[in-house]
Amino acid sequence: MANLITIKKGLDIPLQGMPTSETTEDISTDVFAINPDDFPGYTWKAAVKAGEDVKSGSPLLYAKECEEIKLTSPVSGKVVEIHRGERRKIEYVSVHREGEQNTSGLEKSDSLLINLFRSGLYAMMRQRPYDIVPDYNAKPRDIFVTAFDTAPLAPELLDSPNSKYLETGLKALASLTSGKVFLSLPEGSGVTSGIAEVYELKGPHPAGNVGTQIANIKPVNKGETVWTLDVTTACKIGKFVETGELDYSALVALTGPCMKTPHMVSTIIGASLRTLLKNEIKCENGEVRVISGNVLTGWRVNKEDGFLRYPYRQITAIEEGDQADEFMGWASLSPKKYSVSRTFPAFLRGLSKPFSFDARIKGGHRAMIMSGEYDKVFPFDIYPEYLIKAILAKNIEKMEERGIYEVAPEDFALPEFVDTSKLELQKIVREGLDYIRKETM
């Protein structure tokens, strides 16, 4: 029987555009890309040149620090472009799909870990502390697998077509740690495992964040390392171990108030948004912001030349709000305006009823207000305001005392949403993690 954990602190944001269970097949997309920024912790170098033929599973990029760790091509075809930005930094490598599709481009080994390195599956896991692709030298204390997502409009993760390979994936993961594998599920899922220790969680977002699960199951202390991944990746590992096949499929939710018909799409990781979103976006009041991911932690992308970004499971479309013309502006008493603190009368109609949010910040940057507002949505046993101040001061000792090793930027997405000071908390935490890693390793 699963252990039950109740999360009391948090907030479910009632955003319009929940996807239906209807699933369509994406057959028109022919260009796919891998973005190295999605895989922090390593310096990625190009393993191919523009115009080169590649097979699915062939390396597109490799880690400078450990050349065995690769980011691989999701399709067979021809390399279109190695797109570089400032200081020749690689922004993405794109491939045009051509010919027969198979994973013959992968060089296999007798070692599971080396196979995970070479297949790109290793790069889809994360390490705490630092929220990076796991250090190739680190031995994880435990491994945490999350099987649900509570972010706004997030799809069901247990609907993976590879779910039959989950137990094999968990067994493979268990061989990589001397500790335990923990599987976190939503309440009432009924899933059991003979390999992993199963926990069920109930409560508002961020109950589905792996950081929340770690904090409530077995927190990370200084000097300890744990690995994390979602259940979709665990199933892909299981399929790879059991059949030898790499699966680059992605079940993506098209969500948000600016999506014509929110639904699920079956595609391949890194798909071009130009074709994926063709005739899917509606624009009624100005520009639309397209986000690869959810509205709290996703990447802002261009729907004309952007690509589906890691973790490859959701695209959200909301209005920019640049054409908004509201009577009385911030002083309006419109019931269509949402407020966590009940500043507007919308709570009278019920805050569970979906709202059509836009991308406006609705405020300017100001000094941090010590009001305890972060604590209401932050289910960790640490003081978030004090941690943020320690990061801004670059005080390593205080950062360690206040829990820097337990958190990732996504854990501060809700505090950033409710913050009246409009601070970029996720960016601050990312910079703090990078700074302490650089200074202490």
Side-chain angles (χ1 to χ4, degrees):
M1 184 177 178
N3 303 286
L4 180 63
I5 296 174
T6 300
I7 305 299
K8 295 183 178 180
K9 294 183 178 180
L11 177 68
D12 287 326
I13 299 175
L15 180 62
Q16 289 181 4
M18 178 66 71
T20 64
S21 58
E22 177 189 356
T23 302
T24 60
E25 190 80 21
D26 171 30
I27 58 174
S28 59
T29 302
D30 56 8
V31 178
F32 303 82
I34 297 297
N35 190 314
D37 282 348
D38 293 341
F39 307 96
Y42 289 92
T43 302
W44 299 101
K45 300 290 185 181
V48 293
K49 296 180 180 179
E52 186 175 329
D53 291 325
V54 294
K55 294 290 187 182
S56 178
S58 296
L60 297 180
L61 299 131
Y62 66 89
K64 177 182 176 182
E65 296 81 357
C66 178
E67 295 187 8
E68 286 283 12
I69 300 178
K70 321 280 191 188
L71 298 178
T72 55
S73 175
V75 294
S76 298
K78 192 180 294 291
V79 177
V80 177
E81 180 184 14
I82 301 174
H83 188 83
R84 297 180 183 270
E86 295 181 4
R87 303 179 67 179
R88 294 189 55 76
K89 177 180 179 293
I90 297 175
E91 294 188 344
Y92 62 81
V93 179
S94 57
V95 179
H96 187 277
R97 178 168 57 181
E98 297 176 358
E100 183 181 354
Q101 300 298 307
N102 55 61
T103 56
S104 59
L106 176 64
E107 296 181 11
K108 295 180 181 177
S109 164
D110 293 332
S111 166
L112 172 62
L113 190 59
I114 295 298
N115 282 335
L116 293 179
F117 283 173
R118 294 176 179 176
S119 65
L121 290 169
Y122 187 81
M124 293 186 186
M125 297 191 285
R126 292 292 178 266
Q127 169 192 304
R128 301 271 176 126
Y130 311 124
D131 188 41
I132 57 174
V133 175
D135 186 332
Y136 64 95
N137 283 321
K139 187 75 173 178
R141 183 203 71 192
D142 300 296
I143 298 177
F144 291 81
V145 181
T146 179
F148 70 119
D149 190 349
T150 52
L153 308 181
E156 293 284 342
L157 298 188
L158 288 173
D159 290 341
S160 169
N162 294 320
S163 57
K164 61 183 178 181
Y165 299 110
L166 175 58
E167 198 71 357
T168 304
L170 294 175
K171 185 176 180 180
L173 292 168
S175 70
L176 301 176
T177 176
S178 57
K180 295 181 179 180
V181 175
F182 296 98
L183 177 63
S184 300
L185 299 151
E187 182 187 18
S189 65
V191 176
T192 60
S193 172
I195 304 296
E197 191 168 311
V198 179
Y199 283 82
E200 292 187 351
L201 290 90
K202 68 174 182 178
H205 184 63
N209 280 8
V210 71
T212 302
Q213 296 158 16
I214 294 171
N216 284 273
I217 296 172
K218 193 176 180 181
V220 181
N221 299 311
K222 183 178 180 180
E224 296 179 337
T225 297
V226 301
W227 291 359
T228 70
L229 65 158
D230 62 25
V231 73
T232 302
T233 303
C235 290
K236 289 179 185 290
I237 292 173
K239 183 176 183 179
F240 179 57
V241 170
E242 194 167 314
T243 69
E245 296 180 12
L246 276 174
D247 187 351
Y248 292 100
S249 64
L251 191 60
V252 182
L254 304 186
T255 68
C258 290
M259 207 67 74
K260 288 182 180 178
T261 53
H263 65 283
M264 306 297 296
V265 176
S266 178
T267 185
I268 295 174
I269 67 174
S272 169
L273 297 187
R274 176 180 294 181
T275 48
L276 195 63
L277 296 180
K278 187 177 181 180
N279 300 321
E280 295 288 353
I281 302 293
K282 63 181 180 181
C283 183
E284 298 177 352
N285 300 308
E287 293 296 317
V288 173
R289 177 174 296 191
V290 177
I291 301 165
S292 184
N294 64 70
V295 289
L296 294 176
T297 64
W299 298 85
R300 181 180 180 179
V301 291
N302 189 312
K303 68 177 183 292
E304 294 300 321
D305 57 12
F307 298 91
L308 180 63
R309 304 284 294 269
Y310 176 86
Y312 312 118
R313 59 174 177 254
Q314 183 179 359
I315 299 173
T316 310
I318 61 174
E319 292 182 4
E320 284 285 359
D322 50 359
Q323 300 295 320
D325 184 17
E326 297 176 332
F327 176 68
M328 295 180 67
W330 65 268
S332 168
L333 295 179
S334 170
K336 296 182 179 181
K337 300 186 74 170
Y338 176 86
S339 175
V340 176
S341 60
R342 297 190 174 189
T343 303
F344 302 103
F347 71 89
L348 295 174
R349 70 169 194 175
L351 292 181
S352 61
K353 186 176 181 179
F355 287 73
S356 180
F357 290 84
D358 57 40
R360 288 176 295 165
I361 295 177
K362 298 183 179 179
H365 295 289
R366 59 181 75 93
M368 184 182 292
I369 302 171
M370 297 294 289
S371 64
E373 59 189 350
Y374 300 170
D375 297 308
K376 297 175 182 178
V377 296
F378 192 77
F380 288 65
D381 191 23
I382 62 178
Y383 295 106
E385 292 96 339
Y386 291 102
L387 176 56
I388 292 296
K389 282 182 173 285
I391 294 172
L392 291 173
K394 293 187 175 181
N395 188 324
I396 293 177
E397 183 180 351
K398 293 295 184 183
M399 284 190 235
E400 292 179 338
E401 289 178 0
R402 294 168 185 178
I404 186 71
Y405 295 122
E406 292 188 49
V407 300
E410 70 173 7
D411 299 321
F412 280 80
L414 274 179
E416 184 175 290
F417 176 75
V418 303
D419 184 18
T420 55
S421 299
K422 310 301 179 184
L423 298 177
E424 296 179 288
L425 300 181
Q426 293 183 80
K427 180 180 178 183
I428 292 170
V429 173
R430 178 75 270 168
E431 291 174 350
L433 290 169
D434 291 343
Y435 175 77
I436 197 170
R437 177 168 171 254
K438 178 182 177 182
E439 294 296 319
T440 59
M441 293 185 69

